[in-house]
Amino acid sequence: MDQDLIKQIALEVMNETFITNWYFYLLLLCVSTIGAFFGSLLKGFGKEKSKYLAIESSLETIAKQVKLTTETSEQIKTAIEHNVWRKKELETLKREKLEQYFLHISLLNNSLNNEMISTFFGEKVEHDPESFTKADMIQSLYLPELLEVHLELSKVVIEFQTWISDGLFIIASQSKAQTKDPTLMQAHMKKQPILLKKLANPIVNVLQKTKELALEVNT
């Protein structure tokens, strides 16, 4: 009830008019009470609305965080799947290159010897003159684990190939001079078994190391 209404009631009480107008003031009192009630209700509603807005804002924030977390999880999952796939592909490729390398090295002794026969005597024997070159490339690109034993083998292979080149030079020199001294080639050919023997251990070491690496890849 406001101050003006209280003052008016007090004046009418003093003027003795309150009794005749009591129903009017009762109505005012009821209206004032109802107004206060609804005012309080609206105030409470405003507070509740603020709470709901705050909750709604929090829910939106949570939804954004959940979305961001989900997207991040999907990105991580995709990256992991890609890495797993890449690792599997690399392992498959390594197995293939190990097989190729092992085959080239296994045939290396015969390949070098047949190259010598073809070069010195002109006989058509099956061999791959690029066998070791292919093995060397495979090792360099795909099999760094075999570098040490491969280098040891390379030294002997180069020595054998140099020996073939020297023999070819002797043959070419005699052909140019139109002379034929069999003793030169005989002396040269005495080195063949020595070189073949020198090839044996490095080849065995490379093949053994290749088997060990294959076992690691396959387990």
Side-chain angles (χ1 to χ4, degrees), residues 138-149:
I138 292 172
Q139 186 281 316
S140 298
L141 295 178
Y142 304 102
L143 307 173
E145 301 90 341
L146 302 178
L147 177 61
E148 185 176 350
V149 289

Side-chain angles (χ1 to χ4, degrees), residues 4 10 22 32 36 47 49 53 58-59 70 131-132 137 196 210:
D4 293 337
W22 67 270
S32 178
K47 291 181 179 179
K49 185 176 181 181
L53 289 174
S58 298
L59 289 175
T70 302
S131 179
F132 188 73
M137 180 184 67
L196 289 175
T210 305

Side-chain angles (χ1 to χ4, degrees), residues 87 91 95 212-219:
K87 183 179 179 181
E91 288 178 351
R95 289 189 189 97
E212 293 174 2
L213 181 57
L215 184 62
E216 291 178 10
V217 173
N218 292 322
T219 55

Side-chain angles (χ1 to χ4, degrees), residues 119-181:
T119 302
F120 290 172
F121 306 107
E123 296 184 14
K124 292 183 178 180
V125 288
E126 186 177 349
H127 72 285
D128 183 0
E130 297 181 354
S131 179
F132 188 73
T133 302
K134 294 175 182 177
D136 192 57
M137 180 184 67
I138 292 172
Q139 186 281 316
S140 298
L141 295 178
Y142 304 102
L143 307 173
E145 301 90 341
L146 302 178
L147 177 61
E148 185 176 350
V149 289
H150 183 82
L151 287 177
E152 290 301 317
L153 176 59
S154 297
K155 295 176 183 177
V156 186
V157 171
I158 291 172
E159 187 177 355
F160 195 96
Q161 290 174 334
T162 301
W163 173 76
I164 293 177
S165 297
D166 291 342
L168 186 60
F169 178 77
I170 293 172
I171 294 172
S173 298
Q174 289 186 351
S175 176
K176 184 178 181 180
Q178 296 183 350
T179 59
K180 195 169 184 180
D181 185 358

Side-chain angles (χ1 to χ4, degrees), residues 77-92:
K77 180 181 177 182
T78 301
I80 292 174
E81 289 176 350
H82 176 73
N83 288 336
V84 170
W85 173 84
R86 185 172 181 273
K87 183 179 179 181
K88 185 177 180 181
E89 289 296 310
L90 288 175
E91 288 178 351
T92 301

